[in-house]
Amino acid sequence: MTGEPRQMEELSRAESLRLLSTVSFGRVGFTIRGLQAIRPVNHLMEGGRVIIRTREWSDLVAVAGGGGATVAYQADEIDPDLHLGWSVIVRGRVQAVSDADEAARYRERLSTWAAGQRDHVLFIEPEFVSGIRLVEATASPAVE
Amino acid sequence: MTGEPRQMEELSRAESLRLLSTVSFGRVGFTIRGLQAIRPVNHLMEGGRVIIRTREWSDLVAVAGGGGATVAYQADEIDPDLHLGWSVIVRGRVQAVSDADEAARYRERLSTWAAGQRDHVLFIEPEFVSGIRLVEATASPAVE
């Protein structure tokens, strides 16, 4: 035992995607001109896809153009003091929602982060999904 | 006006780093074997550096070896319902804390995410720092 109060449990793909659908925002990680970026965005889940809304000038739109690039998407619900909760990470290609009606429908359900800025609707097709849950350690000895 | 209730304010580097020091965890974004990854970690701020603690088997340790690689680090405090709060992003090189005494001192102050796993202490030297604060929109018209 290390005296640490938490244990980490791996979550299934289905449970990870379900948890993702219970929160309204996360963070997208991507590379732009060879540099790492992380940007908080709002999301919703539909048809197994992560739908996000982002500002027009966003570097992400450049990434999503030209057939899309692979990004990472992460959301969590972690108690800031106890550090108990869950974290889910999705990796997949990001692309623009090209159908205008579909994009308009998503816009109604997804708020933007700030006023006065035009935005695009993008989706991430999850290829790799992983999730962990941090729970209080039980009395049984931890595997060393 | 778009009817959205929030406005985004840019934060100074100093204010961004100060806000980072008021929370105990964030998310590191990096590339491993050409794939994007985002991992939640605990942090503390010292001497303008972001100090993080991560598991020995973590891909991040591989990234931090060999002189370090550039990663993105993001933390936020955002109301899950109102979406008001702040988000800070740091970009910089991640490297291992090589001095054993220094690493031990950081370990005392940084808890790990889960029990029974050995870990390393790394630091990120902020090169690029940006931050935003999301506040309620005022009655004055937003810049279009």
Side-chain angles (χ1 to χ4, degrees), chain A residues 114-133:
Chain A
Q117 290 172 330
R118 297 181 62 190
D119 56 70
H120 283 236
V121 180
L122 310 178
F123 69 91
I124 301 166
E125 190 79 57
E127 290 154 25
F128 167 85
V129 178
S130 72
I132 53 156
R133 191 186 289 278

Side-chain angles (χ1 to χ4, degrees), chain B residues 38-57:
Chain B
I38 300 182
R39 198 180 292 270
V41 293
N42 294 324
H43 75 254
L44 62 85
M45 299 295 292
E46 194 174 277
R49 291 173 166 176
V50 184
I51 317 288
I52 63 175
R53 187 173 171 177
T54 188
R55 297 180 298 277
E56 188 168 24
W57 48 264

